[in-house]
Structure formats: C-alpha cells, structure tokens
Amino acid sequence: MDALYRRVFGNDAAEASRLRWEWQYRRNPNNPGGEPEIWIAREGPAIVGQYATMPVQLSVGGTQVQASWGMDVMVAPERQRQGLGEILFRTWDRNVGASLGLGLSESSYKLFQKLRWPDVGPLPCLVKPLTRRALRRPNWPVPVNRLVSALTLPVIKLVARTRPLGAEVRMLQRFDESFTELWNTLAPRFDLAVRRDAAYLNWKYVSAPHVRYSIAALRRDDRNVGYAVYRHLHEPRGRVTLLVDFLTDPDDQPGFSTLLRWIDREARQADSDKIRTFAMHAAFRRVLRRSGYFQVKSTVQFVTKVNGVDVHPAFYENTDCWHVTLGDSDQDR
Ligand SMILES: CC(C)(COP(=O)(O)OP(=O)(O)OC[C@H]1O[C@@H](n2cnc3c(N)ncnc32)[C@H](O)[C@@H]1OP(=O)(O)O)[C@@H](O)C(=O)NCCC(=O)NCCS
C-alpha cells in the first residue's frame, strides 16, 4: 500500500501520510470494532487500489448515524478509468450510514459526480485581514501591491482593531467530559454535524502527530459553553492563523464573537497577516462577517450521501444549519 501511495501521490505525500498513519487510522476512537476501515482492491497478490476512510459519528437532525469521511482513495495509474474506483466508492458507501467527502481531487470529484453523490460544496472560506500584507498578490508588480496596501490600510485598521472580550476565555490542554455534555446539548441544533465529544476532540486536536493546535474554551457561569481550535503557520504569501474548528450554540452570537475576538488577539500576538476559517453554518458565517471576515472563493468541495436515515432530496439543498469546518475529515494536514 505504501508503494502504491508513493506512485499515485508522490514521495512527499507518502512520507507525510506515514507520519500520520497510526494516529489517523488506528487510533481513531470511532473505528468500528476498533479496527481501521480501509477497503483494498486486489488482483492476485498485487494491491491495485484502496479506499481509506475516517469513521465518525454523524448527527443528522439529532439522530446519530455511523458515517465515514472518504480519503486517500487511489487506483494504480495503469488501472485507472477501468471501473475499479467505482467499485471502491460503492463498496464503501454500502457499508456506512453516511459517506462524506471533503477537499476532493479533480478525478475523485468527477467520479462522485458521475455516481450522482449529492454535491453540497464548496465549503465556504472566510478571511479576516489583519495587516497590509494580507492583500499582497505575488503576481502583481511591487508598485501595484504598494498602492493597494496604501488604499486599503484605513479599512484594515478599522476591521482589525482590538475589541474587548465579552466573556471568559481559557486555554485548554485537553477536552474534559463537559465537552461531551456540551455536544449532547447542542447536537439537535444542527441538521448535520460530526459528533464532537471529548474522545473525538482529544484524538483530533490534542494527539495529532503532524500539527500542534491551541485550544480555547468559552466559559459562562463556570461552565464550558464553546471552544475554538487554531494554529499559526507560514505560507509563501505571509503568516496565517487558521481557525480550524469551533463550537458554540449557533444562536449564541455574543459567545461566538467573544471566541473570535480571542482569536484576533492570538493572531496579532503571533504576527499573523490574516485569519482564515471555513464554515458552513449560516449563523456562524453571519457572526464571522460582522467580525471583519470576508467570504472568498473556496476550492474545498464537499459531497455527502446519507443512507442510515431517510432524508428528503431537499435535505441536501438547504445546508444553512450544517456545521462543517476545516477540522473535519483530514483537511488540515
Ligand atoms: C479517483 C480515482 C481513485 C478513480 O479511480 P478510477 O478507477 O480511475 O475510476 P473509475 O474507472 O471507476 O471511474 C472513472 C471516472 O472517474 C472520473 N475520473 C477518473 N480519473 C479522472 C481524471 N484523471 N480526470 C477526470 N476525471 C477522472 C471520471 O468521472 C471517470 O469517468 P469517465 O472515464 O467516464 O470519464 C483515481 O482516478 C485515482 O487514483 N486518482 C488519483 C488519486 C486521487 O486523486 N485520489 C483522490 C484523493 S481525494
């Protein structure tokens, strides 16, 4: 499988996958029967394809469904476009209560379309500029970049100004069981969302081997009522703070905006030029826009097919109450 992975995705991706493999596939707390959920296509002794998945509990209108994110699907180059991919996709789908795909390659997106998986993407991307460098484009000449910086500076200063926190925010090392209770209270508020209990959150954001996250908890009356997971990174165009995942009651506008103000401070302290996040839920996006975020073009495609409970075709048309973020699937790698 490793040799096939190298041939299809290249050496760098294969090395990165090896670093994550034990954690991503073996230590997932939602593995059915405690085993990784990976389908293999064989021809005699040779492995010619695989579909590796990330099992999750999915809340669909408050009902829990055993689902999985499809990822790392591949067919040997000389055997592509001969129907093996279709067999792998359908086998996976027949065995899960909901099949989910996020951030697809062109070939897999086309195959999902051909097989008529409901297409609900792309996952909206929002960016908040913090410095003049946030708007730089490498393909613009220096004088144009300077002019754009000068013209937009007043707006950026206004958007990026520091504002007081409206509630207590505390940094965490781990998620305790109160976050499972928080999830159980909030799950019915979402039409579709991955179950964010303490076991899942600790696996995903505390023990990931390839990135280090910061975690902030929103507190009210001595209780945890929300969280935000984020990290800072260097990109060729500057420093970025990624708001990877978050949760509050979607109606708790002051709560979510307090978390966003906390992220602003953290990003400024890390000298970030911008903050980037992905959010599907309309209420969260509204608060993000009011907090200085702008929606930009997203290339993160999202497909999903629910099998475990009956859903009406209209279910896939109104995704305003779906909670999906960059933390879902294995997007942040
Ligand atoms: C995605 C993948 C697993 C599909 O496997 P496959 O065996 O080629 O798929 P099938 O033969 O069953 O289906 C073929 C259909 O897939 C889509 N497809 C496959 N390769 C494609 C490509 N290079 N460009 C565009 N569409 C492609 C098309 O819809 C195609 O239908 P068509 O031949 O009628 O146009 C395979 O192309 C692959 O390994 N790609 C490289 C790795 C990759 O991108 N993985 C996805 C990570 S998200």
Side-chain angles (χ1 to χ4, degrees):
M1 263 160 58
D2 184 50
L4 182 61
Y5 202 102
R6 269 171 212 281
R7 286 176 62 211
V8 175
F9 294 109
N11 279 331
D12 288 352
E15 281 309 311
S17 172
R18 266 161 76 103
L19 176 68
R20 294 191 314 266
W21 205 96
E22 276 292 314
W23 163 77
Q24 182 162 335
Y25 294 112
R26 216 183 280 289
R27 285 199 253 129
N28 181 343
N30 289 304
N31 276 346
E35 291 292 320
E37 197 179 64
I38 300 175
W39 279 275
I40 302 290
R42 284 179 194 276
E43 261 168 5
I47 292 176
V48 290
Q50 81 152 9
Y51 208 142
T53 70
M54 178 185 281
V56 287
Q57 299 292 329
L58 189 73
S59 173
V60 182
T63 306
Q64 207 160 290
V65 172
Q66 172 65 46
S68 64
W69 292 102
M71 54 191 47
D72 286 347
V73 55
M74 59 187 178
V75 166
E78 67 281 2
R79 297 290 277 113
Q80 288 178 11
R81 292 192 111 135
Q82 296 164 31
L84 279 175
E86 177 170 346
I87 296 172
L88 282 165
F89 278 50
R90 289 200 191 282
T91 307
W92 163 52
D93 183 53
R94 262 201 312 277
N95 285 280
V96 283
S99 47
L100 309 153
L102 196 63
L104 313 167
S105 71
E106 197 195 333
S107 51
S108 68
Y109 183 50
K110 288 263 166 61
L111 184 49
F112 273 121
Q113 284 184 316
K114 188 178 169 187
L115 302 180
R116 300 191 179 283
W117 245 260
D119 181 359
V120 288
L123 182 61
C125 177
L126 295 102
V127 173
K128 175 166 183 167
L130 296 178
T131 72
R132 293 197 275 176
R133 292 188 298 270
L135 299 172
R136 268 192 204 155
R137 291 280 172 279
N139 51 338
W140 288 349
V142 174
V144 176
N145 266 323
R146 288 218 176 110
L147 182 67
V148 171
S149 289
L151 291 176
T152 52
L153 184 61
V155 181
I156 288 178
K157 275 192 166 158
L158 182 73
V159 166
R161 72 193 184 283
T162 311
R163 288 194 266 181
L165 298 180
E168 188 195 345
V169 175
R170 192 184 281 179
M171 297 294 289
L172 296 182
Q173 299 299 321
R174 286 186 70 77
F175 293 91
D176 64 28
E177 276 307 313
S178 70
F179 286 92
T180 304
E181 284 162 35
L182 175 66
W183 172 257
N184 289 336
T185 322
L186 295 183
R189 313 277 292 113
F190 302 109
D191 287 349
L192 181 142
V194 164
R195 177 179 170 84
R196 286 153 160 83
D197 57 15
Y200 170 84
L201 293 170
N202 285 323
W203 167 66
K204 205 80 211 293
Y205 302 122
V206 178
S207 49
H210 60 300
V211 279
R212 186 172 311 153
Y213 292 111
S214 301
I215 304 162
L218 174 71
R219 297 184 52 87
R220 212 179 268 134
D221 304 327
D222 274 341
R223 282 190 314 120
N224 293 314
V225 291
Y227 71 79
V229 176
Y230 54 98
R231 69 186 180 101
H232 315 286
L233 67 154
H234 279 291
E235 287 186 348
R237 274 196 235 155
R239 234 178 120 78
V240 180
T241 295
L242 270 187
L243 171 54
V244 174
D245 192 31
F246 52 82
L247 182 70
T248 64
D249 186 317
D251 287 341
D252 183 4
Q253 196 228 311
F256 187 44
S257 70
T258 295
L259 278 175
L260 294 178
R261 287 177 188 193
W262 172 270
I263 303 294
D264 285 356
R265 286 163 192 230
E266 292 280 282
R268 228 173 277 118
Q269 206 156 33
D271 210 17
S272 285
D273 299 314
K274 56 177 131 175
I275 309 169
R276 186 185 304 128
T277 195
F278 289 79
M280 193 101 188
H281 199 292
F284 291 136
R285 274 188 287 138
R286 214 170 300 126
V287 179
L288 283 160
R289 282 196 298 269
R290 273 191 219 137
S291 307
Y293 287 73
F294 297 90
Q295 197 155 327
V296 299
K297 188 171 180 292
S298 169
T299 51
V300 179
Q301 299 298 345
F302 179 26
V303 295
T304 179
K305 187 162 161 291
V306 176
N307 309 315
V309 284
D310 281 337
V311 292
H312 198 264
F315 173 78
Y316 299 103
E317 276 153 33
N318 186 358
T319 55
D320 277 357
C321 293
W322 293 26
H323 185 39
V324 182
T325 65
L326 186 68
D328 280 302
S329 184
D330 67 344
Q331 279 305 287
D332 189 26
R333 17 158 114 173

